[in-house]
Amino acid sequence: VNFVFFHITSDIRFEEVDMDSLIREQIHKFARIFIGKKLSLEYQEVSETVLTDEKWLGFVLGQILSNALKYTKKGKISMCHI
């Protein structure tokens, strides 16, 4: 019997991340689409720092923005915290 062992490395790196900077970075990536679709953005500044993986949380935020842009035909997209 032969066994093959795989060493799976994790690319997750936890660090303190400024949420406002991360959100603004993602918004900036989609700026041209907002302009092209003539959509406005309502954004409330977030003054929180979280312990997370910056790359993956950025990816998730980008997907949320992408879906919002995909399904919003006119008007505005609002991003606010509770």
Side-chain angles (χ1 to χ4, degrees):
V1 175
N2 291 329
F3 292 98
V4 178
F5 293 96
F6 294 99
H7 178 67
I8 300 173
T9 59
S10 173
D11 65 342
I12 295 176
R13 199 177 105 201
F14 288 97
E15 59 188 328
E16 288 190 359
V17 176
D18 177 53
M19 283 299 294
D20 193 66
S21 296
L22 188 58
I23 294 168
R24 288 178 186 274
E25 180 182 308
Q26 293 303 313
I27 290 170
H28 182 74
K29 288 181 182 180
F30 291 94
R32 290 186 180 186
I33 300 171
F34 274 98
I35 293 166
K37 292 184 78 174
K38 298 180 181 168
L39 294 173
S40 63
L41 173 69
E42 179 183 351
Y43 174 68
Q44 288 181 351
E45 182 179 343
V46 177
S47 58
E48 299 292 332
T49 301
V50 295
L51 183 63
T52 187
D53 182 282
E54 183 173 10
K55 179 180 76 172
W56 287 109
L57 182 55
F59 174 78
V60 170
L61 292 170
Q63 289 298 301
I64 292 168
L65 270 172
S66 177
N67 286 339
L69 285 162
K70 180 178 180 179
Y71 295 108
T72 303
K73 303 301 180 200
K74 62 181 180 176
K76 70 178 175 181
I77 294 173
S78 299
M79 295 181 69
C80 59
H81 62 286
I82 313 173

